[in-house]
Structure formats: structure tokens, C-alpha cells
């Protein structure tokens, strides 16, 4: 048996001393001993509870808000503690933090009548009669734009809505400028504490307080399916226009920067983006992203389409944050703002260009949602998996899907319910959006080639010039819509497959060549 060193603590004696001090209402001693025990075992809720009770008896909870926040984080069902956290936030003038604490106090264990009374008083003081909480996911540009954008569109249709909607935001954002732009349209509580609190217990908040956005992946924990979300999303975008504009006060400065780069005509711009593995690897180096590789593409397959646009007199600008590939192209009207990104104003430049360009060419990547936020006409290529874009003015061409025997899957079979076995269950291919599952089941994706993209770009350019962006234009596209059963969710999509792609691959859709 080893010999105790001078610094070694007799834990048993400390615990006995704590119990004795608590029995004799010696709360200063309880604080001293519980803090020492917490130093030895920092995440032990038992010692935190002793500390909490001692502070409560001494009336010192408010001045120890740091401890109170930590205690509530590890005791999310303690309504009494959350109510005290509400009072601590309120005393510091942190209105939204205090309301969120009250919401959780009412969602946890043993809520009391006065919690609801306090919440009603707080809301009346702000001019509201109810409150809903939503989570603003900020780490990926797609979620950052799509989820609140869809909510703003839907909420604009509501009449006499007297509810306070608080959006919790926290952590590193994918795009600070876009985050600030969206936040200017919302009531946002910037709090890493509440962001983490919600994330660690997403089902704790009562449904009465949870605000489900039209596209809200967090809501799937409360029921529903990804298919329901896509269907709702398409309905919202079909019925409402953009609620977010690029700030007028920023335009002149951005134009000055772009003029210095050589861009003089802002009326004839086409932007494009190529997804590859570089961005996720750089942004989240500790995570594995190979399951997303099927959504990547080879930039060289854009080359013929880009040459066409340049010959049509467009200024063509590539967007993005980082990339491991580039086009070997030199032209006075071609700019690569992904490889040569402005470190200071890159985010603003990207948003501005997407708000004013004639159209955008993208793929299955988050920046597509930024273009959709401005209702920018969009051609989506290499769409993976088969999810038609929800935007108001969009056309798409999908990657093709091969099975384990290298046979190309007929798209009509997808619409007709073709399934595969996974974990002893039959899963419909069209409804499987987890590319990890598809890959493990032996499926693979085949990229659009240069001719696919060139033909789609040429066709979309003509549609934009002629302002004929309605989804039903040609005999082939009408055949395509009619081939989709009415009960299949993509029937309500806003975008249609490019006529050129249907013509070139009509056998994959069981179509007869039309006009």
C-alpha cells in the first residue's frame, strides 16, 4: 500500500464533513467542501447539486451565474435551477436568454405555476402572447440559408401572428456575412450556451415551444420523414418569393472591388460552383467526409459549357471557398473567385454576385441554397441523390445510378418504387438519401459528362433569355411529369429535368423522343 503524499486529499473525510455541514446548515462549509470535491471530479452532478443548494440557501446563485449555467447544463430537468437561471439572465438585461431559460423550466421536471406566469409577463412586456424557439444551424452554408429562408417565406403568409420567434445561434458560422444578413430578418439569440444546451438534449423542449421550420432536420427527432420536409419545402417556394435582398448600402463598395478585378458589366454575369472534397476537409478536418464524395464532380466536365457562355458574351465567375481543382482557361471575361478568393470581402462578393447574376450553375452543395434564397434562376447538374431542387426557377440533370452489377438504374424504376434490401428491410431507392447506405449496398453514381452539361447550359441560357422558366415546356418534359405517379413526393417539385438530358437519355426514363 502506498503512503499518502502531503497534497493527497482524504476524500472520505471530505464527504463526511460535507454531510455534517449540510445537516447543521453550515452552507459556507458546504460550498468549500463541494467545490473541492468538484475539482477532483468536475462532472459529478452530485457535488454540483450540493454546491447549488448551498448557493441557494446563501442567496448567492445570481452572483454565481457561471456555476449556475454549468449546473443547468448538467441538470437539464431541474426546473428550479432553470428558473433561477432565468432570474440571473433577467437581472443582467439578457431578455432572450431569460425567456429561453423559462421555456426550459416549463419543459423540465416539476414546473410551477409561477414559471408560466413569469413567461406571460415577459411576453406581454414585449408585445407578444406566445413564444416559439428554433435552432439556426450555422456550420454549413446550406442549412444556414435554406432553413431560415424557408421559414421567412412561410411565415410571411401568416396573418395577425402575435408569437415571438427566437432563433438560437451559436458556434462558428459557415458564412458570417450571410449569417448577419439572415439574422437581420429574425430575432436571434447568439448563445453558444443555449446552442449546446439544445444540441445535447434536442427532445427536452416541449413541442408547444418548438418552432418547426419547413425544412428542419432537427425536427425529424420529433417525428416525420425527410420526404415530408422536401414536400413542404417545394410547396413553400412555389407559393412565395424571396424575402431577403442584398443590402443596398453594400453594393457600391462591392462593385468598386469587382471593377478593380476587371469586371465592368454587372448585367451579363453567370456564376458557377463545383463541389469537391477540399472544402469539407479544410472546414472540418477532424471529421470523415468520404460518404459525401459521391456529390463531388470533375471541373473539366464544365469546360465546354463555360466556353459556350463566354462565346455568348457572358462574364463567367466561379464561386466557392476552396478547391483542389481548376479549369485551365484564360479569358478576359472568366474569373475564378474560388481559387483567388478575396480574404476580406469574399463572403459579401459571393452573395452579391448570386443576387445579381443572370443565372447560377451549381451541384448538390450548400451554395445552391444561397442562390435559391435570392430566387436566382439555377441549373443544377450532377444532382445526387435524386432530389429535384426546390428553388423557384430551376432545372436539373441528375447523376445516373449503377447497381452492384454495373447496370444503370432506370429512372422510371425509381419513380415506380424500385427497392433494395438493407438490414433485412426493403428500402425504396428514391426515398434513400443517405449516400453511405447506397454505397454500402453496392450502388455507385456516374457523373454528367461534358456533353450533358454543355447541352443543359445551352438550353438553360435560352430559357433565361426568353424568360420561359416554367417547368412544363416540351413534350419530353410533359412525358416526364406524367410518368411520375401522383403519390410520389417529387411530383410536387418546382424543378424539372432538362429537356436535353431527357432527349439524350430517354431510354433511362422510358420516354419517346419528342420535339
Amino acid at each position: 500500500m502506498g503512503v499518502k503524499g502531503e497534497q493527497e486529499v482524504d476524500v472520505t473525510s471530505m464527504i463526511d464533513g460535507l454531510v455534517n455541514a449540510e445537516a447543521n446548515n453550515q452552507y459556507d462549509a458546504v460550498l468549500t467542501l463541494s467545490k473541492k470535491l468538484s475539482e477532483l471530479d468536475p462532472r459529478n452532478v452530485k457535488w454540483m447539486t450540493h454546491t447549488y443548494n448551498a448557493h441557494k440557501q446563501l442567496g448567492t446563485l445570481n452572483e454565481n451565474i457561471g456555476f449556475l449555467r454549468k449546473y443547468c447544463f448538467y441538470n437539464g430537468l431541474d426546473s428550479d435551477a432553470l428558473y433561477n437561471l432565468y432570474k440571473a439572465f433577467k437581472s443582467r438585461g439578457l431578455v432572450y436568454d431569460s425567456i429561453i431559460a423559462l421555456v426550459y423550466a416549463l419543459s423540465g421536471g416539476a414546473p410551477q405555476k409561477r414559471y408560466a406566469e413569469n413567461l406571460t409577463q415577459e411576453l406581454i412586456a414585449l408585445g407578444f402572447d406566445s413564444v416559439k424557439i428554433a435552432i439556426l444551424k450555422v456550420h454549413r452554408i446550406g442549412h444556414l440559408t435554406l432553413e431560415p429562408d424557408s421559414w421567412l417565406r412561410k411565415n410571411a403568409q401568416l396573418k395577425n401572428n402575435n408569437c415571438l420567434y427566437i432563433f438560437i445561434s451559436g458556434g462558428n458560422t459557415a458564412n458570417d456575412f450571410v449569417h448577419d444578413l439572415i439574422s437581420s430578418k429574425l430575432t436571434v439569440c447568439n448563445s453558444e450556451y443555449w446552442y449546446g444546451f439544445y444540441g445535447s438534449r434536442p427532445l427536452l423542449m416541449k413541442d408547444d415551444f418548438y418552432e418547426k421550420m419547413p425544412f428542419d432536420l432537427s425536427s425529424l427527432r420529433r417525428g416525420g420523414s425527410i420526404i415530408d420536409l422536401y414536400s413542404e419545402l417545394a410547396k413553400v417556394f412555389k407559393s412565395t418569393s424571396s424575402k431577403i435582398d442584398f443590402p443596398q448600402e453594400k453594393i457600391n463598395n462591392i462593385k468598386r472591388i469587382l471593377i478593380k478585378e476587371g469586371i465592368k458589366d454587372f448585367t451579363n454575369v453567370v456564376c458557377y460552383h463545383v463541389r469537391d472534397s477540399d472544402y469539407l476537409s479544410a472546414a472540418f478536418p477532424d471529421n470523415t467526409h468520404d460518404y459525401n464524395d459521391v456529390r463531388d464532380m470533375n471541373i473539366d466536365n464544365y469546360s465546354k459549357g463555360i466556353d459556350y457562355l463566354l462565346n455568348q458574351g457572358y462574364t463567367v465567375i466561379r464561386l466557392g471557398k476552396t478547391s483542389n481543382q481548376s479549369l485551365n482557361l484564360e479569358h478576359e471575361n472568366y474569373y475564378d473567385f474560388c481559387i483567388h478568393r478575396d480574404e476580406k470581402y469574399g463572403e459579401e462578393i459571393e452573395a452579391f454576385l448570386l443576387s445579381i447574376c443572370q443565372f447560377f450553375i451549381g451541384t448538390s452543395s450548400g451554395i445552391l441554397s444561397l442562390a435559391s434564397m435570392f430566387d436566382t434562376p439555377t441549373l443544377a447538374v450532377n444532382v445526387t441523390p435524386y432530389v429535384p431542387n426546390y428553388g423557384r426557377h430551376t432545372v436539373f440533370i441528375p447523376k445516373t445510378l449503377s447497381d452492384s452489377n454495373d447496370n444503370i438504374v432506370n429512372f422510371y424504376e425509381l419513380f415506380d418504387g424500385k427497392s433494395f434490401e438493407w438490414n433485412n428491410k426493403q428500402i425504396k431507392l428514391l426515398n434513400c438519401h443517405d449516400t453511405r447506405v447506397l454505397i454500402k449496398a453496392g450502388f455507385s453514381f456516374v457523373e454528367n459528362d461534358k456533353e450533358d452539361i454543355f447541352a443543359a447550359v445551352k438550353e438553360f441560357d435560352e430559357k433565361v433569355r426568353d424568360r420561359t422558366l416554367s417547368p412544363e415546356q416540351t413534350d419530353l418534359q410533359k412525358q416526364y411529369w406524367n410518368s411520375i405517379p401522383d403519390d410520389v413526393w417529387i411530383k410536387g417539385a418546382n424543378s424539372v429535368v432538362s429537356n436535353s438530358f431527357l432527349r439524350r437519355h430517354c431510354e433511362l426514363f422510358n420516354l419517346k423522343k419528342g420535339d
Side-chain angles (χ1 to χ4, degrees):
M1 183 179 292
V3 179
K4 288 185 179 181
E6 291 182 5
Q7 301 300 318
E8 190 168 340
V9 180
D10 187 337
V11 174
T12 301
S13 296
M14 289 174 62
I15 295 173
D16 290 343
L18 186 149
V19 172
N20 183 61
E22 210 160 47
N24 291 286
N25 298 328
Q26 297 172 337
Y27 295 110
D28 285 324
V30 171
L31 272 182
T32 300
L33 292 168
S34 62
K35 286 180 178 179
K36 286 183 177 180
L37 287 165
S38 291
E39 288 174 359
L40 296 173
D41 191 5
R43 295 191 178 184
N44 191 317
V45 175
K46 181 178 180 180
W47 313 134
M48 290 186 207
T49 303
H50 285 291
T51 303
Y52 173 77
N53 290 332
H55 275 308
K56 187 176 179 181
Q57 293 298 325
L58 293 168
T60 54
L61 278 173
N62 187 66
E63 62 196 68
N64 287 279
I65 190 173
F67 164 76
L68 187 54
R69 282 161 47 109
K70 180 179 179 181
Y71 177 75
C72 288
F73 195 89
Y74 286 99
N75 293 269
L77 289 171
D78 191 331
S79 290
D80 179 74
L82 284 158
Y83 182 71
N84 280 300
L85 184 58
Y86 148 69
K87 292 192 292 185
F89 280 133
K90 181 177 172 61
S91 70
R92 290 163 173 79
L94 300 171
V95 177
Y96 301 135
D97 291 88
S98 65
I99 289 175
I100 294 169
L102 268 179
V103 163
Y104 275 113
L106 286 162
S107 299
Q112 297 186 25
K113 184 178 179 180
R114 72 178 186 277
Y115 303 170
E117 292 172 346
N118 282 131
L119 181 58
T120 298
Q121 292 169 4
E122 297 292 346
L123 292 173
I124 289 174
L126 295 171
F128 299 97
D129 57 24
S130 60
V131 63
K132 293 273 193 177
I133 311 293
I135 306 302
L136 193 60
K137 293 188 227 19
V138 300
H139 306 299
R140 302 283 289 274
I141 187 67
H143 293 287
L144 172 61
T145 50
L146 170 57
E147 296 186 7
D149 177 26
S150 63
W151 182 86
L152 283 166
R153 291 172 189 255
K154 184 174 183 178
N155 201 55
Q157 302 175 53
L158 302 179
K159 304 296 184 183
N160 301 319
N161 190 348
N162 208 30
C163 178
L164 170 62
Y165 297 97
I166 301 175
F167 288 76
I168 298 174
S169 174
N172 296 324
T173 64
N175 186 308
D176 290 335
F177 173 76
V178 171
H179 176 268
D180 292 344
L181 179 59
I182 291 172
S183 295
S184 69
K185 303 289 184 178
L186 307 170
T187 298
V188 176
C189 177
N190 287 300
S191 170
E192 291 195 36
Y193 176 76
W194 288 123
Y195 196 83
F197 191 97
Y198 171 84
S200 62
R201 46 181 72 76
L203 296 179
L204 177 57
M205 187 185 297
K206 284 185 175 179
D207 288 345
D208 290 345
F209 296 117
Y210 182 79
E211 173 63 2
K212 178 180 176 295
M213 292 176 278
F215 190 84
D216 185 349
L217 292 179
S218 298
S219 70
L220 295 179
R221 294 174 180 253
R222 297 170 183 260
S225 70
I226 188 71
I227 303 305
D228 295 332
L229 297 184
Y230 281 125
S231 298
E232 176 69 10
L233 193 60
K235 292 177 185 176
V236 169
F237 272 79
K238 184 174 290 186
S239 60
T240 57
S241 58
S242 174
K243 305 304 172 190
I244 300 176
D245 297 315
F246 189 87
Q248 286 292 320
E249 67 273 12
K250 297 272 188 181
I251 291 177
N252 287 338
N253 182 52
I254 297 303
K255 281 187 174 181
R256 279 194 293 268
I257 295 170
L258 293 174
I259 288 170
K260 287 182 180 179
E261 292 288 340
I263 300 173
K264 296 180 176 59
D265 182 5
F266 297 98
T267 63
N268 211 28
V269 173
V270 172
C271 296
Y272 82 100
H273 173 260
V274 178
R275 181 189 178 109
D276 59 38
S277 61
D278 210 47
Y279 169 70
L280 288 179
S281 298
F284 307 100
D286 296 329
N287 297 344
T288 300
H289 307 287
D290 54 355
Y291 66 89
N292 260 324
D293 289 350
V294 297
R295 295 161 68 187
D296 296 342
M297 63 173 293
N298 183 349
I299 195 173
D300 288 337
N301 287 333
Y302 267 109
S303 58
K304 188 172 181 179
I306 300 303
D307 285 340
Y308 165 81
L309 292 171
L310 291 169
N311 289 332
Q312 294 299 307
Y314 283 109
T315 295
V316 180
I317 303 174
R318 182 189 180 193
L319 304 177
K321 267 195 172 181
T322 181
S323 178
N324 53 26
Q325 53 182 332
S326 61
L327 278 180
N328 184 20
L329 174 63
E330 291 187 11
H331 191 284
E332 61 179 352
N333 290 327
Y334 178 74
Y335 301 85
D336 191 331
F337 287 167
C338 178
I339 300 298
H340 306 290
R341 185 178 174 89
D342 188 296
E343 292 186 10
K344 185 175 181 180
Y345 293 104
E347 294 178 345
E348 295 180 37
I349 289 171
E350 191 166 82
F352 170 72
L353 289 170
L354 284 172
S355 73
I356 59 97
C357 64
Q358 289 296 301
F359 62 93
F360 172 65
I361 308 169
T363 184
S364 298
S365 190
I367 194 173
L368 207 68
S369 297
L370 184 53
S372 296
M373 187 177 81
F374 295 117
D375 284 345
T376 299
T378 297
L379 170 63
V381 302
N382 280 301
V383 168
T384 316
Y386 199 95
V387 180
N389 189 259
Y390 51 85
R392 287 176 62 81
H393 310 297
T394 59
V395 170
F396 76 101
I397 58 175
K399 284 188 179 182
T400 52
L401 185 66
S402 296
D403 62 20
S404 56
N405 296 318
D406 292 330
N407 297 314
I408 299 294
V409 177
N410 185 295
F411 286 109
Y412 182 79
E413 293 182 87
L414 265 67
F415 309 151
D416 201 37
K418 182 180 176 66
S419 303
F420 67 98
E421 185 173 327
W422 182 254
N423 287 342
N424 298 317
K425 294 180 180 179
Q426 288 295 314
I427 299 178
K428 289 186 177 181
L429 265 174
L430 187 63
N431 295 349
C432 182
H433 299 149
D434 190 334
T435 54
R436 287 168 289 195
V437 171
L438 290 171
I439 292 168
K440 289 178 181 178
F443 293 95
S444 58
F445 291 89
V446 181
E447 273 192 46
N448 304 143
D449 62 21
K450 289 183 181 181
E451 294 303 322
D452 284 333
I453 295 176
F454 162 67
V457 167
K458 185 174 183 295
E459 177 187 330
F460 196 67
D461 172 42
E462 292 168 355
K463 289 171 93 47
V464 171
R465 289 178 187 271
D466 295 339
R467 302 194 179 281
T468 55
L469 291 167
S470 173
E472 294 192 36
Q473 291 297 314
T474 69
D475 288 341
L476 279 178
Q477 288 171 333
K478 290 175 181 178
Q479 286 185 55
Y480 164 78
W481 279 118
N482 292 334
S483 71
I484 303 172
D486 289 338
D487 60 348
V488 175
W489 65 274
I490 62 172
K491 190 76 169 186
N494 296 331
S495 57
V496 67
V497 177
S498 169
N499 186 70
S500 62
F501 190 83
L502 293 174
R503 175 180 287 277
R504 194 163 187 244
H505 302 282
C506 59
E507 73 285 353
L508 294 181
F509 294 88
N510 289 1
L511 303 178
K512 296 179 181 180
K513 288 187 179 181
D515 59 351

